mmCIF file with all atom_site columns, all heavy atoms in Angstrom:
data_model
loop_
_atom_site.group_PDB
_atom_site.id
_atom_site.type_symbol
_atom_site.label_atom_id
_atom_site.label_alt_id
_atom_site.label_comp_id
_atom_site.label_asym_id
_atom_site.label_entity_id
_atom_site.label_seq_id
_atom_site.pdbx_PDB_ins_code
_atom_site.Cartn_x
_atom_site.Cartn_y
_atom_site.Cartn_z
_atom_site.occupancy
_atom_site.B_iso_or_equiv
_atom_site.pdbx_formal_charge
_atom_site.auth_seq_id
_atom_site.auth_comp_id
_atom_site.auth_asym_id
_atom_site.auth_atom_id
_atom_site.pdbx_PDB_model_num
ATOM 1   N N   . PRO A 1 8   ? -109.740 13.675 17.505  1.00 0.00 ? 8   PRO A N   1
ATOM 2   C CA  . PRO A 1 8   ? -108.855 13.081 16.523  1.00 0.00 ? 8   PRO A CA  1
ATOM 3   C C   . PRO A 1 8   ? -109.575 12.566 15.300  1.00 0.00 ? 8   PRO A C   1
ATOM 4   O O   . PRO A 1 8   ? -110.709 12.142 15.387  1.00 0.00 ? 8   PRO A O   1
ATOM 5   C CB  . PRO A 1 8   ? -108.207 11.934 17.285  1.00 0.00 ? 8   PRO A CB  1
ATOM 6   C CG  . PRO A 1 8   ? -109.153 11.603 18.397  1.00 0.00 ? 8   PRO A CG  1
ATOM 7   C CD  . PRO A 1 8   ? -109.881 12.849 18.759  1.00 0.00 ? 8   PRO A CD  1
ATOM 8   N N   . ASN A 1 22  ? -95.292  0.664  5.235   1.00 0.00 ? 22  ASN A N   1
ATOM 9   C CA  . ASN A 1 22  ? -94.681  0.544  3.910   1.00 0.00 ? 22  ASN A CA  1
ATOM 10  C C   . ASN A 1 22  ? -93.222  0.999  3.917   1.00 0.00 ? 22  ASN A C   1
ATOM 11  O O   . ASN A 1 22  ? -92.341  0.405  3.303   1.00 0.00 ? 22  ASN A O   1
ATOM 12  C CB  . ASN A 1 22  ? -95.478  1.352  2.887   1.00 0.00 ? 22  ASN A CB  1
ATOM 13  C CG  . ASN A 1 22  ? -96.844  0.727  2.616   1.00 0.00 ? 22  ASN A CG  1
ATOM 14  O OD1 . ASN A 1 22  ? -97.018  -0.483 2.790   1.00 0.00 ? 22  ASN A OD1 1
ATOM 15  N ND2 . ASN A 1 22  ? -97.797  1.541  2.179   1.00 0.00 ? 22  ASN A ND2 1
ATOM 16  N N   . VAL A 1 34  ? -78.525  -4.665 0.645   1.00 0.00 ? 34  VAL A N   1
ATOM 17  C CA  . VAL A 1 34  ? -77.145  -4.271 0.955   1.00 0.00 ? 34  VAL A CA  1
ATOM 18  C C   . VAL A 1 34  ? -76.335  -5.447 1.458   1.00 0.00 ? 34  VAL A C   1
ATOM 19  O O   . VAL A 1 34  ? -75.181  -5.688 1.069   1.00 0.00 ? 34  VAL A O   1
ATOM 20  C CB  . VAL A 1 34  ? -77.141  -3.115 1.971   1.00 0.00 ? 34  VAL A CB  1
ATOM 21  C CG1 . VAL A 1 34  ? -75.726  -2.868 2.487   1.00 0.00 ? 34  VAL A CG1 1
ATOM 22  C CG2 . VAL A 1 34  ? -77.698  -1.857 1.361   1.00 0.00 ? 34  VAL A CG2 1
ATOM 23  N N   . ILE A 1 76  ? -24.700  0.406  -19.943 1.00 0.00 ? 76  ILE A N   1
ATOM 24  C CA  . ILE A 1 76  ? -23.932  -0.173 -21.041 1.00 0.00 ? 76  ILE A CA  1
ATOM 25  C C   . ILE A 1 76  ? -23.819  0.815  -22.192 1.00 0.00 ? 76  ILE A C   1
ATOM 26  O O   . ILE A 1 76  ? -22.760  0.999  -22.794 1.00 0.00 ? 76  ILE A O   1
ATOM 27  C CB  . ILE A 1 76  ? -24.592  -1.483 -21.507 1.00 0.00 ? 76  ILE A CB  1
ATOM 28  C CG1 . ILE A 1 76  ? -24.528  -2.531 -20.378 1.00 0.00 ? 76  ILE A CG1 1
ATOM 29  C CG2 . ILE A 1 76  ? -23.928  -2.004 -22.774 1.00 0.00 ? 76  ILE A CG2 1
ATOM 30  C CD1 . ILE A 1 76  ? -25.316  -3.784 -20.671 1.00 0.00 ? 76  ILE A CD1 1
ATOM 31  N N   . GLY A 1 89  ? -10.881  24.198 -15.667 1.00 0.00 ? 89  GLY A N   1
ATOM 32  C CA  . GLY A 1 89  ? -11.421  25.016 -14.595 1.00 0.00 ? 89  GLY A CA  1
ATOM 33  C C   . GLY A 1 89  ? -11.063  24.470 -13.225 1.00 0.00 ? 89  GLY A C   1
ATOM 34  O O   . GLY A 1 89  ? -10.481  23.401 -13.066 1.00 0.00 ? 89  GLY A O   1
ATOM 35  N N   . SER A 1 123 ? 12.314   28.797 -18.221 1.00 0.00 ? 123 SER A N   1
ATOM 36  C CA  . SER A 1 123 ? 13.760   28.709 -18.402 1.00 0.00 ? 123 SER A CA  1
ATOM 37  C C   . SER A 1 123 ? 14.044   28.421 -19.867 1.00 0.00 ? 123 SER A C   1
ATOM 38  O O   . SER A 1 123 ? 13.134   28.119 -20.641 1.00 0.00 ? 123 SER A O   1
ATOM 39  C CB  . SER A 1 123 ? 14.330   27.585 -17.530 1.00 0.00 ? 123 SER A CB  1
ATOM 40  O OG  . SER A 1 123 ? 14.009   27.775 -16.171 1.00 0.00 ? 123 SER A OG  1
ATOM 41  N N   . ILE A 1 143 ? 25.630   24.347 -31.999 1.00 0.00 ? 143 ILE A N   1
ATOM 42  C CA  . ILE A 1 143 ? 26.881   24.217 -31.242 1.00 0.00 ? 143 ILE A CA  1
ATOM 43  C C   . ILE A 1 143 ? 28.041   24.229 -32.228 1.00 0.00 ? 143 ILE A C   1
ATOM 44  O O   . ILE A 1 143 ? 27.995   23.545 -33.264 1.00 0.00 ? 143 ILE A O   1
ATOM 45  C CB  . ILE A 1 143 ? 26.885   22.910 -30.424 1.00 0.00 ? 143 ILE A CB  1
ATOM 46  C CG1 . ILE A 1 143 ? 25.656   22.857 -29.508 1.00 0.00 ? 143 ILE A CG1 1
ATOM 47  C CG2 . ILE A 1 143 ? 28.161   22.780 -29.606 1.00 0.00 ? 143 ILE A CG2 1
ATOM 48  C CD1 . ILE A 1 143 ? 25.478   21.534 -28.800 1.00 0.00 ? 143 ILE A CD1 1
ATOM 49  N N   . LYS A 1 155 ? 11.881   31.122 -28.881 1.00 0.00 ? 155 LYS A N   1
ATOM 50  C CA  . LYS A 1 155 ? 10.588   30.968 -29.540 1.00 0.00 ? 155 LYS A CA  1
ATOM 51  C C   . LYS A 1 155 ? 9.990    32.341 -29.835 1.00 0.00 ? 155 LYS A C   1
ATOM 52  O O   . LYS A 1 155 ? 10.379   33.352 -29.241 1.00 0.00 ? 155 LYS A O   1
ATOM 53  C CB  . LYS A 1 155 ? 9.638    30.172 -28.641 1.00 0.00 ? 155 LYS A CB  1
ATOM 54  C CG  . LYS A 1 155 ? 10.063   28.727 -28.454 1.00 0.00 ? 155 LYS A CG  1
ATOM 55  C CD  . LYS A 1 155 ? 9.166    28.002 -27.480 1.00 0.00 ? 155 LYS A CD  1
ATOM 56  C CE  . LYS A 1 155 ? 9.594    26.544 -27.333 1.00 0.00 ? 155 LYS A CE  1
ATOM 57  N NZ  . LYS A 1 155 ? 8.802    25.828 -26.311 1.00 0.00 ? 155 LYS A NZ  1
ATOM 58  N N   . ARG A 1 159 ? 5.960    36.173 -23.870 1.00 0.00 ? 159 ARG A N   1
ATOM 59  C CA  . ARG A 1 159 ? 5.426    37.304 -23.115 1.00 0.00 ? 159 ARG A CA  1
ATOM 60  C C   . ARG A 1 159 ? 5.597    37.118 -21.611 1.00 0.00 ? 159 ARG A C   1
ATOM 61  O O   . ARG A 1 159 ? 5.561    36.002 -21.099 1.00 0.00 ? 159 ARG A O   1
ATOM 62  C CB  . ARG A 1 159 ? 3.926    37.465 -23.395 1.00 0.00 ? 159 ARG A CB  1
ATOM 63  C CG  . ARG A 1 159 ? 3.581    37.804 -24.831 1.00 0.00 ? 159 ARG A CG  1
ATOM 64  C CD  . ARG A 1 159 ? 3.764    39.278 -25.090 1.00 0.00 ? 159 ARG A CD  1
ATOM 65  N NE  . ARG A 1 159 ? 3.531    39.612 -26.493 1.00 0.00 ? 159 ARG A NE  1
ATOM 66  C CZ  . ARG A 1 159 ? 3.704    40.826 -26.992 1.00 0.00 ? 159 ARG A CZ  1
ATOM 67  N NH1 . ARG A 1 159 ? 4.089    41.809 -26.202 1.00 0.00 ? 159 ARG A NH1 1
ATOM 68  N NH2 . ARG A 1 159 ? 3.488    41.055 -28.273 1.00 0.00 ? 159 ARG A NH2 1
ATOM 69  N N   . PHE A 1 214 ? 26.850   21.259 -20.286 1.00 0.00 ? 214 PHE A N   1
ATOM 70  C CA  . PHE A 1 214 ? 26.459   22.665 -20.285 1.00 0.00 ? 214 PHE A CA  1
ATOM 71  C C   . PHE A 1 214 ? 24.950   22.866 -20.475 1.00 0.00 ? 214 PHE A C   1
ATOM 72  O O   . PHE A 1 214 ? 24.352   23.734 -19.838 1.00 0.00 ? 214 PHE A O   1
ATOM 73  C CB  . PHE A 1 214 ? 27.213   23.448 -21.363 1.00 0.00 ? 214 PHE A CB  1
ATOM 74  C CG  . PHE A 1 214 ? 26.876   24.909 -21.369 1.00 0.00 ? 214 PHE A CG  1
ATOM 75  C CD1 . PHE A 1 214 ? 27.328   25.748 -20.364 1.00 0.00 ? 214 PHE A CD1 1
ATOM 76  C CD2 . PHE A 1 214 ? 26.073   25.459 -22.364 1.00 0.00 ? 214 PHE A CD2 1
ATOM 77  C CE1 . PHE A 1 214 ? 27.006   27.094 -20.347 1.00 0.00 ? 214 PHE A CE1 1
ATOM 78  C CE2 . PHE A 1 214 ? 25.739   26.801 -22.363 1.00 0.00 ? 214 PHE A CE2 1
ATOM 79  C CZ  . PHE A 1 214 ? 26.205   27.630 -21.344 1.00 0.00 ? 214 PHE A CZ  1
ATOM 80  N N   . VAL A 1 222 ? 14.495   32.586 -15.867 1.00 0.00 ? 222 VAL A N   1
ATOM 81  C CA  . VAL A 1 222 ? 14.773   33.914 -16.430 1.00 0.00 ? 222 VAL A CA  1
ATOM 82  C C   . VAL A 1 222 ? 13.902   34.946 -15.732 1.00 0.00 ? 222 VAL A C   1
ATOM 83  O O   . VAL A 1 222 ? 12.701   34.718 -15.497 1.00 0.00 ? 222 VAL A O   1
ATOM 84  C CB  . VAL A 1 222 ? 14.494   33.912 -17.950 1.00 0.00 ? 222 VAL A CB  1
ATOM 85  C CG1 . VAL A 1 222 ? 14.694   35.311 -18.539 1.00 0.00 ? 222 VAL A CG1 1
ATOM 86  C CG2 . VAL A 1 222 ? 15.404   32.906 -18.648 1.00 0.00 ? 222 VAL A CG2 1
ATOM 87  N N   . ALA A 1 292 ? 5.527    24.848 7.851   1.00 0.00 ? 292 ALA A N   1
ATOM 88  C CA  . ALA A 1 292 ? 6.788    24.808 8.587   1.00 0.00 ? 292 ALA A CA  1
ATOM 89  C C   . ALA A 1 292 ? 7.152    23.409 9.050   1.00 0.00 ? 292 ALA A C   1
ATOM 90  O O   . ALA A 1 292 ? 8.304    23.145 9.396   1.00 0.00 ? 292 ALA A O   1
ATOM 91  C CB  . ALA A 1 292 ? 6.716    25.743 9.799   1.00 0.00 ? 292 ALA A CB  1
ATOM 92  N N   . ILE A 1 306 ? -5.650   21.234 1.516   1.00 0.00 ? 306 ILE A N   1
ATOM 93  C CA  . ILE A 1 306 ? -4.872   20.954 0.309   1.00 0.00 ? 306 ILE A CA  1
ATOM 94  C C   . ILE A 1 306 ? -5.351   19.642 -0.304  1.00 0.00 ? 306 ILE A C   1
ATOM 95  O O   . ILE A 1 306 ? -5.925   18.788 0.378   1.00 0.00 ? 306 ILE A O   1
ATOM 96  C CB  . ILE A 1 306 ? -3.362   20.865 0.609   1.00 0.00 ? 306 ILE A CB  1
ATOM 97  C CG1 . ILE A 1 306 ? -3.078   19.831 1.709   1.00 0.00 ? 306 ILE A CG1 1
ATOM 98  C CG2 . ILE A 1 306 ? -2.814   22.221 0.989   1.00 0.00 ? 306 ILE A CG2 1
ATOM 99  C CD1 . ILE A 1 306 ? -1.604   19.627 2.001   1.00 0.00 ? 306 ILE A CD1 1
ATOM 100 N N   . PRO A 1 345 ? 41.416   8.980  10.480  1.00 0.00 ? 345 PRO A N   1
ATOM 101 C CA  . PRO A 1 345 ? 42.512   8.051  10.812  1.00 0.00 ? 345 PRO A CA  1
ATOM 102 C C   . PRO A 1 345 ? 42.156   6.585  10.606  1.00 0.00 ? 345 PRO A C   1
ATOM 103 O O   . PRO A 1 345 ? 42.972   5.802  10.123  1.00 0.00 ? 345 PRO A O   1
ATOM 104 C CB  . PRO A 1 345 ? 42.782   8.357  12.291  1.00 0.00 ? 345 PRO A CB  1
ATOM 105 C CG  . PRO A 1 345 ? 42.361   9.778  12.457  1.00 0.00 ? 345 PRO A CG  1
ATOM 106 C CD  . PRO A 1 345 ? 41.179   9.954  11.553  1.00 0.00 ? 345 PRO A CD  1
ATOM 107 N N   . ASP A 1 361 ? 23.831   -5.554 4.520   1.00 0.00 ? 361 ASP A N   1
ATOM 108 C CA  . ASP A 1 361 ? 22.784   -6.106 3.662   1.00 0.00 ? 361 ASP A CA  1
ATOM 109 C C   . ASP A 1 361 ? 21.922   -4.931 3.190   1.00 0.00 ? 361 ASP A C   1
ATOM 110 O O   . ASP A 1 361 ? 21.011   -4.481 3.899   1.00 0.00 ? 361 ASP A O   1
ATOM 111 C CB  . ASP A 1 361 ? 21.941   -7.112 4.449   1.00 0.00 ? 361 ASP A CB  1
ATOM 112 C CG  . ASP A 1 361 ? 20.894   -7.809 3.580   1.00 0.00 ? 361 ASP A CG  1
ATOM 113 O OD1 . ASP A 1 361 ? 20.580   -7.292 2.491   1.00 0.00 ? 361 ASP A OD1 1
ATOM 114 O OD2 . ASP A 1 361 ? 20.371   -8.854 4.017   1.00 0.00 ? 361 ASP A OD2 1
ATOM 115 N N   . MET A 1 369 ? 13.392   1.405  5.435   1.00 0.00 ? 369 MET A N   1
ATOM 116 C CA  . MET A 1 369 ? 13.105   2.801  5.143   1.00 0.00 ? 369 MET A CA  1
ATOM 117 C C   . MET A 1 369 ? 11.604   3.076  5.290   1.00 0.00 ? 369 MET A C   1
ATOM 118 O O   . MET A 1 369 ? 10.781   2.207  5.024   1.00 0.00 ? 369 MET A O   1
ATOM 119 C CB  . MET A 1 369 ? 13.555   3.160  3.733   1.00 0.00 ? 369 MET A CB  1
ATOM 120 C CG  . MET A 1 369 ? 15.064   3.125  3.500   1.00 0.00 ? 369 MET A CG  1
ATOM 121 S SD  . MET A 1 369 ? 15.966   4.297  4.543   1.00 0.00 ? 369 MET A SD  1
ATOM 122 C CE  . MET A 1 369 ? 16.604   3.208  5.816   1.00 0.00 ? 369 MET A CE  1
ATOM 123 N N   . VAL A 1 380 ? 27.385   7.000  -10.321 1.00 0.00 ? 380 VAL A N   1
ATOM 124 C CA  . VAL A 1 380 ? 26.776   7.429  -11.583 1.00 0.00 ? 380 VAL A CA  1
ATOM 125 C C   . VAL A 1 380 ? 25.531   6.584  -11.828 1.00 0.00 ? 380 VAL A C   1
ATOM 126 O O   . VAL A 1 380 ? 25.567   5.353  -11.656 1.00 0.00 ? 380 VAL A O   1
ATOM 127 C CB  . VAL A 1 380 ? 27.761   7.273  -12.759 1.00 0.00 ? 380 VAL A CB  1
ATOM 128 C CG1 . VAL A 1 380 ? 27.085   7.622  -14.083 1.00 0.00 ? 380 VAL A CG1 1
ATOM 129 C CG2 . VAL A 1 380 ? 28.995   8.151  -12.542 1.00 0.00 ? 380 VAL A CG2 1
ATOM 130 N N   . GLY A 1 413 ? 37.466   -8.510 24.208  1.00 0.00 ? 413 GLY A N   1
ATOM 131 C CA  . GLY A 1 413 ? 36.426   -8.040 25.117  1.00 0.00 ? 413 GLY A CA  1
ATOM 132 C C   . GLY A 1 413 ? 35.167   -7.588 24.387  1.00 0.00 ? 413 GLY A C   1
ATOM 133 O O   . GLY A 1 413 ? 34.477   -6.679 24.857  1.00 0.00 ? 413 GLY A O   1
ATOM 134 N N   . GLN A 1 421 ? 43.852   1.081  20.549  1.00 0.00 ? 421 GLN A N   1
ATOM 135 C CA  . GLN A 1 421 ? 42.830   1.859  19.854  1.00 0.00 ? 421 GLN A CA  1
ATOM 136 C C   . GLN A 1 421 ? 41.627   0.987  19.495  1.00 0.00 ? 421 GLN A C   1
ATOM 137 O O   . GLN A 1 421 ? 41.787   -0.108 18.940  1.00 0.00 ? 421 GLN A O   1
ATOM 138 C CB  . GLN A 1 421 ? 43.397   2.482  18.576  1.00 0.00 ? 421 GLN A CB  1
ATOM 139 C CG  . GLN A 1 421 ? 42.417   3.382  17.844  1.00 0.00 ? 421 GLN A CG  1
ATOM 140 C CD  . GLN A 1 421 ? 43.001   3.935  16.555  1.00 0.00 ? 421 GLN A CD  1
ATOM 141 O OE1 . GLN A 1 421 ? 44.052   3.488  16.088  1.00 0.00 ? 421 GLN A OE1 1
ATOM 142 N NE2 . GLN A 1 421 ? 42.318   4.903  15.964  1.00 0.00 ? 421 GLN A NE2 1
ATOM 143 N N   . ASN A 1 440 ? 21.010   4.449  11.713  1.00 0.00 ? 440 ASN A N   1
ATOM 144 C CA  . ASN A 1 440 ? 20.845   3.499  12.825  1.00 0.00 ? 440 ASN A CA  1
ATOM 145 C C   . ASN A 1 440 ? 20.985   2.060  12.352  1.00 0.00 ? 440 ASN A C   1
ATOM 146 O O   . ASN A 1 440 ? 21.510   1.206  13.073  1.00 0.00 ? 440 ASN A O   1
ATOM 147 C CB  . ASN A 1 440 ? 19.483   3.709  13.494  1.00 0.00 ? 440 ASN A CB  1
ATOM 148 C CG  . ASN A 1 440 ? 19.416   5.023  14.257  1.00 0.00 ? 440 ASN A CG  1
ATOM 149 O OD1 . ASN A 1 440 ? 20.409   5.463  14.831  1.00 0.00 ? 440 ASN A OD1 1
ATOM 150 N ND2 . ASN A 1 440 ? 18.262   5.665  14.253  1.00 0.00 ? 440 ASN A ND2 1
ATOM 151 N N   . ASN A 1 515 ? 40.323   10.924 -3.181  1.00 0.00 ? 515 ASN A N   1
ATOM 152 C CA  . ASN A 1 515 ? 41.494   11.418 -3.895  1.00 0.00 ? 515 ASN A CA  1
ATOM 153 C C   . ASN A 1 515 ? 42.143   10.269 -4.660  1.00 0.00 ? 515 ASN A C   1
ATOM 154 O O   . ASN A 1 515 ? 42.748   9.381  -4.074  1.00 0.00 ? 515 ASN A O   1
ATOM 155 C CB  . ASN A 1 515 ? 42.505   12.028 -2.916  1.00 0.00 ? 515 ASN A CB  1
ATOM 156 C CG  . ASN A 1 515 ? 43.609   12.783 -3.621  1.00 0.00 ? 515 ASN A CG  1
ATOM 157 O OD1 . ASN A 1 515 ? 43.944   12.494 -4.767  1.00 0.00 ? 515 ASN A OD1 1
ATOM 158 N ND2 . ASN A 1 515 ? 44.184   13.758 -2.935  1.00 0.00 ? 515 ASN A ND2 1
ATOM 159 N N   . TRP A 1 546 ? 36.374   3.818  -8.309  1.00 0.00 ? 546 TRP A N   1
ATOM 160 C CA  . TRP A 1 546 ? 35.589   4.222  -7.135  1.00 0.00 ? 546 TRP A CA  1
ATOM 161 C C   . TRP A 1 546 ? 35.120   3.004  -6.347  1.00 0.00 ? 546 TRP A C   1
ATOM 162 O O   . TRP A 1 546 ? 35.225   2.965  -5.120  1.00 0.00 ? 546 TRP A O   1
ATOM 163 C CB  . TRP A 1 546 ? 34.397   5.040  -7.624  1.00 0.00 ? 546 TRP A CB  1
ATOM 164 C CG  . TRP A 1 546 ? 33.590   5.734  -6.583  1.00 0.00 ? 546 TRP A CG  1
ATOM 165 C CD1 . TRP A 1 546 ? 33.769   7.003  -6.110  1.00 0.00 ? 546 TRP A CD1 1
ATOM 166 C CD2 . TRP A 1 546 ? 32.425   5.230  -5.918  1.00 0.00 ? 546 TRP A CD2 1
ATOM 167 N NE1 . TRP A 1 546 ? 32.794   7.321  -5.187  1.00 0.00 ? 546 TRP A NE1 1
ATOM 168 C CE2 . TRP A 1 546 ? 31.959   6.246  -5.054  1.00 0.00 ? 546 TRP A CE2 1
ATOM 169 C CE3 . TRP A 1 546 ? 31.734   4.031  -5.964  1.00 0.00 ? 546 TRP A CE3 1
ATOM 170 C CZ2 . TRP A 1 546 ? 30.837   6.081  -4.236  1.00 0.00 ? 546 TRP A CZ2 1
ATOM 171 C CZ3 . TRP A 1 546 ? 30.612   3.852  -5.153  1.00 0.00 ? 546 TRP A CZ3 1
ATOM 172 C CH2 . TRP A 1 546 ? 30.170   4.875  -4.305  1.00 0.00 ? 546 TRP A CH2 1
ATOM 173 N N   . ASN A 1 574 ? 3.847    7.324  -15.204 1.00 0.00 ? 574 ASN A N   1
ATOM 174 C CA  . ASN A 1 574 ? 5.192    6.965  -15.656 1.00 0.00 ? 574 ASN A CA  1
ATOM 175 C C   . ASN A 1 574 ? 6.174    8.134  -15.648 1.00 0.00 ? 574 ASN A C   1
ATOM 176 O O   . ASN A 1 574 ? 7.231    8.046  -16.267 1.00 0.00 ? 574 ASN A O   1
ATOM 177 C CB  . ASN A 1 574 ? 5.108    6.370  -17.065 1.00 0.00 ? 574 ASN A CB  1
ATOM 178 C CG  . ASN A 1 574 ? 4.284    5.094  -17.098 1.00 0.00 ? 574 ASN A CG  1
ATOM 179 O OD1 . ASN A 1 574 ? 4.376    4.273  -16.184 1.00 0.00 ? 574 ASN A OD1 1
ATOM 180 N ND2 . ASN A 1 574 ? 3.472    4.930  -18.123 1.00 0.00 ? 574 ASN A ND2 1
ATOM 181 N N   . ASP A 1 586 ? 4.279    18.676 -16.641 1.00 0.00 ? 586 ASP A N   1
ATOM 182 C CA  . ASP A 1 586 ? 3.075    18.760 -17.472 1.00 0.00 ? 586 ASP A CA  1
ATOM 183 C C   . ASP A 1 586 ? 1.896    19.332 -16.694 1.00 0.00 ? 586 ASP A C   1
ATOM 184 O O   . ASP A 1 586 ? 0.758    18.914 -16.862 1.00 0.00 ? 586 ASP A O   1
ATOM 185 C CB  . ASP A 1 586 ? 2.723    17.389 -18.058 1.00 0.00 ? 586 ASP A CB  1
ATOM 186 C CG  . ASP A 1 586 ? 2.551    16.325 -16.984 1.00 0.00 ? 586 ASP A CG  1
ATOM 187 O OD1 . ASP A 1 586 ? 2.703    16.661 -15.788 1.00 0.00 ? 586 ASP A OD1 1
ATOM 188 O OD2 . ASP A 1 586 ? 2.254    15.170 -17.328 1.00 0.00 ? 586 ASP A OD2 1
ATOM 189 N N   . VAL A 1 587 ? 2.189    20.313 -15.844 1.00 0.00 ? 587 VAL A N   1
ATOM 190 C CA  . VAL A 1 587 ? 1.154    20.891 -14.982 1.00 0.00 ? 587 VAL A CA  1
ATOM 191 C C   . VAL A 1 587 ? 0.037    21.560 -15.785 1.00 0.00 ? 587 VAL A C   1
ATOM 192 O O   . VAL A 1 587 ? -1.085   21.707 -15.279 1.00 0.00 ? 587 VAL A O   1
ATOM 193 C CB  . VAL A 1 587 ? 1.784    21.894 -13.991 1.00 0.00 ? 587 VAL A CB  1
ATOM 194 C CG1 . VAL A 1 587 ? 2.233    23.162 -14.697 1.00 0.00 ? 587 VAL A CG1 1
ATOM 195 C CG2 . VAL A 1 587 ? 0.809    22.238 -12.863 1.00 0.00 ? 587 VAL A CG2 1
ATOM 196 N N   . ARG A 1 593 ? -11.505  18.497 -12.173 1.00 0.00 ? 593 ARG A N   1
ATOM 197 C CA  . ARG A 1 593 ? -12.890  18.202 -12.524 1.00 0.00 ? 593 ARG A CA  1
ATOM 198 C C   . ARG A 1 593 ? -12.964  17.115 -13.587 1.00 0.00 ? 593 ARG A C   1
ATOM 199 O O   . ARG A 1 593 ? -12.077  17.000 -14.433 1.00 0.00 ? 593 ARG A O   1
ATOM 200 C CB  . ARG A 1 593 ? -13.590  19.462 -13.066 1.00 0.00 ? 593 ARG A CB  1
ATOM 201 C CG  . ARG A 1 593 ? -13.721  20.591 -12.062 1.00 0.00 ? 593 ARG A CG  1
ATOM 202 C CD  . ARG A 1 593 ? -14.324  21.807 -12.751 1.00 0.00 ? 593 ARG A CD  1
ATOM 203 N NE  . ARG A 1 593 ? -14.538  22.916 -11.832 1.00 0.00 ? 593 ARG A NE  1
ATOM 204 C CZ  . ARG A 1 593 ? -14.929  24.129 -12.220 1.00 0.00 ? 593 ARG A CZ  1
ATOM 205 N NH1 . ARG A 1 593 ? -15.161  24.366 -13.490 1.00 0.00 ? 593 ARG A NH1 1
ATOM 206 N NH2 . ARG A 1 593 ? -15.105  25.082 -11.323 1.00 0.00 ? 593 ARG A NH2 1
#
Side-chain angles (χ1 to χ4, degrees):
N22 291 334
V34 170
I76 295 172
S123 303
I143 304 172
K155 293 176 179 176
R159 296 279 176 184
F214 182 72
V222 176
I306 55 177
D361 184 342
M369 294 299 102
V380 176
Q421 184 182 12
N440 290 325
N515 191 333
W546 190 91
N574 298 320
D586 56 0
V587 71
R593 296 175 177 173

